[in-house]
C-alpha cells in the first residue's frame, strides 16, 4: 500500500487544484468567463462602494452610528457565508469533500490545503474589502489600526472556515436528493427573508433624522452583534479606538476560539468522511411498489401514464422541482411585497399563470437519456398528441389549484372581491397561452440539460441562447397570444364596464389556445424527433 503523500505536497496540490478549477471553468465558454469577470468586478465595486459609504457616514453623522451600520453589515455577511453551502453546495466542486474520500490523505494536510484553497476566489476578496470598510467606520487612532490589522483577517478566515465546516458537516446530506430539495426550499425562503429585510431597511433608512439620516434603530441590533464572533473581531477596531483594550482583546479572543472550534469540527467531519461508508449505500433495496396513490384519478391510456411520469419528475427530479417551486416562489414574493408595501391588487394573480406556463418549456430535455424509450413509442400523430396532452395536463394539475388559492388570498388581502372573477379569467388565459407556446418551443427549440442533476444549472454549456429564447419567448409570447383577454380587461377597467364575463371567457380562450398549440406541436414532433432525441441524450 503506498504511503500518504507529504503534507506540503498535499497543500500545494489542493491550492493548484483550486486555481485550475477556476481557470478551466473560465475556459469552457467565453460567455461564462465574461459573466465570471463581470460578477467579480461588480462584487468588488459593491463592497468598495459600501466601504466608502461607511467612511462617509462616519464623517457625516455620529461615528458611533456609522460603526453600528458596519457591525450590522458584517453580521449579514457572516450569515450569508454560513447559508451559502446549504443552498449552493452542488454548484461549487471545491466545496464537496466527498470527491477526495478515495485518496490516501491525512486530515491535517487536507485541512490546511482546503483552508488556503477556500481563500482563493472572488468571495473572500469581496468580504475582505467589506470587512475593512466596516472596521474603518468605527476606527479612531493608531490603536484601532492595530486591532483592525488583526481583526479583519481573523474575521475573514473565520467566515470562510465556517462556510466550509458547514459544507463538510452536511456533505452527504447536501449531495443527496433530499439535500437538494432542502436547498430549493431553503433558497426560496432565503430569498423571501432577503426581500422582507429589504423592506425593513427601506423603512429604517427612509426616515431622515436630525443629521439627514436616522441610524438609531440599528443601535440595539449592533449592541448584540458586536459580541458575537466573528463580528466582534471587526468591531475590535472601534473598541480599541475608544481606549477599551481589554474588551478589544476579549472580542478577538472569542473570535479566535470560535475559529479553533470550527477548524476542529471541519477536521472531524473530513476524517469521518474519509473512513465512514455512506449509509445510503448500505440500505437494502426494497421491492418495487405498486402504482402510487392518485393513479386511480388519472385518465386511462397513454395520457394518464404520461401525466404520472411527468408528475413524478416534478417531485423527484431536483431541477424540475426547483423550476416549479421557483415559479410559485417568485409569485409569492412579489405578492407578499405588494401587500406589505400597500400597492397590491388582485390582478397580480395573472403572473401565476404566466410563470407556471414556463413549466411547459423544454419538456423532453428534462427526460435526459431516458427519452429514447419515450421516442421509441412515438409512432403515430395520435401518440404525439397524447404525449403532449399528458404533459400539459400534468402542469395544469398543480397550476390550476395554485392559481385559485393565490387569487383567493389576494382578494382577501386587498378586499377587491369584485375583481376576482376577471383576475382568475386573465390568469387562466395566460396559463393556456403559456402551455401552447411552451409546447411549440419544446419541439422547435429544445436544449440540452446537464447530467449532474444540479438544481442551480438548467442548461448544458453553450445552450444559453436557446434558454433565453425559450424563457423570454414564452413570457412575451403568452402575453401576446392572450392579448384579446388582457385587452378586454384593460377596456373594462378604463370604462367601468363589467369584467366578470372574463371568468368564463378567459379559461375558454386559454383552453382553445392550448389545444391549438398542442396540435401544432404534435404535428411537428414526429418530424423533429431525431433532433429532439439528440438534444435530450446529449451530455
Amino acid at each position: 500500500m503506498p504511503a500518504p503523500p507529504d503534507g506540503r505536497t498535499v497543500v500545494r496540490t489542493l491550492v493548484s487544484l483550486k486555481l485550475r478549477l477556476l481557470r478551466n471553468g473560465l475556459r469552457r465558454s467565453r460567455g461564462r468567463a465574461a459573466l465570471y469577470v463581470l460578477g467579480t468586478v461588480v462584487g468588488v465595486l459593491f463592497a468598495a462602494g459600501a466601504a466608502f459609504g461607511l467612511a462617509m457616514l462616519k464623517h457625516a453623522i455620529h461615528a458611533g452610528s456609522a460603526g453600528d451600520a458596519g457591525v450590522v453589515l458584517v453580521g449579514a455577511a457572516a450569515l450569508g457565508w454560513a447559508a451559502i453551502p446549504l443552498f449552493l453546495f452542488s454548484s461549487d466542486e471545491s466545496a464537496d469533500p466527498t470527491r477526495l474520500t478515495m485518496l490516501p490523505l491525512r486530515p491535517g494536510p487536507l485541512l490546511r490545503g482546503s483552508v488556503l484553497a477556500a481563500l482563493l476566489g472572488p468571495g473572500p476578496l469581496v468580504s475582505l474589502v467589506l470587512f475593512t470598510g466596516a472596521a474603518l467606520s468605527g476606527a479612531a487612532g493608531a490603536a484601532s489600526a492595530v486591532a483592525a490589522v488583526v481583526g479583519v483577517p481573523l474575521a475573514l478566515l473565520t467566515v470562510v472556515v465556517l462556510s466550509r465546516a458547514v459544507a463538510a458537516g452536511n456533505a452527504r446530506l447536501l449531495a443527496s436528493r433530499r439535500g437538494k430539495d432542502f436547498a430549493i426550499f431553503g433558497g426560496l425562503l432565503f430569498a423571501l427573508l432577503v426581500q422582507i429585510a429589504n423592506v425593513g431597511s427601506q423603512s429604517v433608512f427612509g426616515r431622515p433624522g436630525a443629521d439627514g439620516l436616522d441610524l438609531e434603530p440599528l443601535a440595539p441590533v449592533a449592541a448584540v452583534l458586536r459580541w458575537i464572533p466573528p463580528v466582534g473581531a471587526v468591531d475590535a477596531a472601534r473598541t480599541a479606538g475608544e481606549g477599551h483594550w481589554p474588551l478589544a482583546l476579549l472580542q478577538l479572543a472569542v473570535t479566535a476560539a470560535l475559529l479553533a472550534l470550527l477548524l476542529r469540527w471541519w477536521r472531524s467531519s473530513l476524517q469521518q468522511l474519509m473512513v465512514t461508508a455512506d449509509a445510503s449505500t448500505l440500505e437494502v433495496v426494497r421491492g418495487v411498489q405498486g402504482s402510487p396513490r392518485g393513479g386511480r384519478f388519472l385518465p386511462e391510456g397513454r395520457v394518464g401514464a404520461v401525466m404520472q411520469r411527468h408528475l413524478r419528475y416534478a417531485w423527484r427530479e431536483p431541477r424540475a422541482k426547483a423550476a416549479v417551486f421557483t415559479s410559485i416562489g417568485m409569485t409569492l414574493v412579489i405578492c407578499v411585497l405588494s401587500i406589505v408595501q400597500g400597492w397590491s391588487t388582485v390582478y397580480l394573480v395573472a403572473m401565476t399563470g404566466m410563470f407556471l406556463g414556463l413549466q411547459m418549456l423544454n419538456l423532453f430535455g428534462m427526460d435526459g437519456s431516458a427519452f429514447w424509450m419515450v421516442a421509441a413509442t412515438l409512432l403515430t400523430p395520435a401518440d404525439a398528441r397524447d404525449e403532449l396532452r399528458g404533459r400539459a395536463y400534468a402542469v395544469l394539475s398543480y397550476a390550476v389549484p395554485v392559481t385559485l388559492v393565490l387569487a383567493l388570498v389576494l382578494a382577501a388581502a386587498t378586499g377587491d372581491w369584485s375583481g376576482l372573477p376577471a383576475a382568475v379569467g386573465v390568469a387562466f388565459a395566460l396559463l393556456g397561452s403559456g402551455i401552447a407556446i411552451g409546447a411549440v418551443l419544446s419541439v422547435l427549440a429544445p436544449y440540452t440539460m446537464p447530467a449532474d442533476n444540479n438544481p442551480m444549472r438548467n442548461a448544458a454549456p453553450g445552450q444559453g441562447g436557446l434558454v433565453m429564447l425559450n424563457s423570454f419567448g414564452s413570457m412575451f409570447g403568452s402575453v401576446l397570444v392572450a392579448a384579446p383577454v388582457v385587452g378586454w380587461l384593460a377596456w373594462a377597467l378604463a370604462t367601468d364596464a363589467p369584467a366578470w364575463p372574463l371568468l368564463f371567457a378567459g379559461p375558454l380562450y386559454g383552453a382553445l389556445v392550448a389545444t391549438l398549440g398542442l396540435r401544432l406541436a404534435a404535428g411537428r414532433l414526429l418530424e423533429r424527433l431525431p433532433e429532439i432525441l439528440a438534444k435530450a441524450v446529449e451530455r
Side-chain angles (χ1 to χ4, degrees):
M1 180 177 180
D6 179 65
R8 294 182 179 179
T9 304
V10 173
V11 172
R12 287 196 300 268
T13 302
L14 290 175
V15 173
S16 63
L17 178 62
K18 178 61 179 289
L19 293 174
R20 288 184 180 182
L21 285 174
L22 293 174
R23 183 184 61 186
N24 294 339
L26 297 178
R27 285 181 173 180
R28 297 179 66 176
S29 66
R30 293 183 178 179
R32 180 171 179 174
L35 289 176
Y36 185 88
V37 173
L38 179 62
T40 302
V41 172
V42 170
V44 173
L45 290 178
F46 171 80
F52 181 76
L54 290 173
M56 293 296 100
L57 287 177
K58 178 182 177 181
H59 298 287
I61 60 178
H62 191 268
S65 297
D68 293 341
V71 166
V72 173
L73 196 60
V74 173
L79 180 62
W81 273 99
I84 281 175
L86 300 178
F87 307 141
L88 301 177
F89 175 78
S90 56
S91 62
D92 185 3
E93 298 90 344
S94 63
D96 186 2
T98 59
R99 298 174 182 266
L100 305 175
T101 54
M102 300 301 294
L103 300 178
L105 301 176
R106 292 191 177 96
L110 177 60
L111 180 63
R112 293 193 297 270
S114 299
V115 169
L116 293 177
L119 291 172
L120 300 176
L125 177 60
V126 171
S127 298
L128 178 61
V129 175
L130 192 63
F131 289 178
T132 303
L136 294 178
S137 66
S144 294
V146 174
V149 168
V150 178
V152 170
L154 179 61
L156 176 64
L157 184 60
T158 303
V159 295
V160 172
V161 171
L162 171 64
S163 177
R164 293 308 173 98
V166 170
N170 301 276
R172 284 177 176 157
L173 172 63
L174 296 175
S176 65
R177 184 171 63 86
R178 291 187 178 182
K180 293 175 180 178
D181 293 344
F182 169 77
I184 295 168
F185 292 115
L188 293 176
L189 178 61
F190 187 73
L192 179 61
L193 293 177
V194 167
Q195 293 300 326
I196 294 175
N198 181 36
V199 174
S201 65
Q202 289 178 3
S203 64
V204 170
F205 294 111
R207 297 179 301 182
D211 296 322
L213 189 63
D214 184 15
L215 296 179
E216 289 301 323
L218 297 179
V221 179
V224 176
L225 288 179
R226 61 173 39 101
W227 295 107
I228 299 177
V231 182
V234 177
D235 187 65
R238 178 199 61 83
T239 308
E242 294 176 353
H244 306 301
W245 265 105
L247 293 181
L249 292 175
L250 178 61
Q251 289 176 309
L252 294 174
V254 171
T255 303
L258 175 63
L259 176 60
L261 291 176
L262 290 174
L263 288 171
R264 184 177 181 85
W265 178 30
W266 190 2
R267 180 190 174 102
S268 63
S269 299
L270 290 175
Q271 187 169 0
Q272 185 177 10
L273 289 172
M274 289 292 182
V275 300
T276 306
D278 188 357
S280 64
T281 63
L282 305 178
E283 295 180 357
V284 179
V285 179
R286 299 178 180 179
V288 179
Q289 301 276 335
S291 60
R293 299 177 189 176
R296 71 189 73 172
F297 302 109
L298 301 179
E300 297 291 338
R302 184 187 185 100
V303 175
V306 173
M307 282 188 66
Q308 184 174 346
R309 168 166 36 90
H310 194 84
L311 290 174
R312 279 188 176 181
Y313 281 175
W315 181 250
R316 295 183 178 181
E317 217 279 342
R319 289 172 303 201
K321 185 181 293 187
V324 173
F325 285 98
T326 299
S327 298
I328 299 175
M330 289 174 60
T331 308
L332 288 177
V333 168
I334 295 175
C335 292
V336 170
L337 288 179
S338 67
I339 293 173
V340 172
Q341 295 178 347
W343 54 271
S344 181
T345 173
V346 70
Y347 298 108
L348 284 176
V349 74
M351 293 188 307
T352 309
M354 183 174 63
F355 287 151
L356 289 176
L358 295 173
Q359 306 312 309
M360 285 292 291
L361 294 176
N362 200 33
L363 289 173
F364 311 110
M366 192 68 69
D367 293 0
S369 57
F371 180 65
W372 73 267
M373 300 179 66
V374 177
T377 64
L378 297 176
L379 304 177
T380 65
D383 293 335
R385 286 194 299 270
D386 290 343
E387 180 71 25
L388 291 174
R389 283 172 53 205
R391 295 177 186 251
Y393 290 167
V395 173
L396 290 172
S397 67
Y398 57 79
V400 171
V402 168
T403 303
L404 291 175
V405 170
L406 190 56
L408 293 173
V409 171
L410 283 174
T414 60
D416 188 9
W417 292 98
S418 60
L420 179 61
V424 172
V426 172
F428 285 152
L430 287 170
L431 177 60
S433 301
I435 288 176
I437 298 295
V440 173
L441 289 176
S442 294
V443 174
L444 298 182
Y447 55 88
T448 303
M449 304 287 287
D452 54 3
N453 272 349
N454 185 350
M456 304 303 172
R457 296 174 57 196
N458 61 351
Q463 306 288 304
L466 289 174
V467 175
M468 297 288 288
L469 172 63
N470 276 264
S471 300
F472 288 100
S474 177
M475 287 191 292
F476 290 109
S478 60
V479 173
L480 291 176
V481 172
V485 178
V486 177
W488 185 351
L489 175 63
W491 170 77
L493 294 177
T495 61
D496 292 331
W500 62 264
L502 286 173
L503 178 62
F504 306 100
L508 179 60
Y509 182 85
L512 292 175
V513 169
T515 302
L516 179 60
L518 291 174
R519 292 186 67 89
L520 290 175
R524 298 293 304 275
L525 178 57
L526 295 180
E527 176 185 340
R528 294 183 53 82
L529 191 57
E531 181 178 350
I532 297 173
L533 180 60
K535 288 286 186 180
V537 302
E538 181 184 354
R539 287 293 186 268

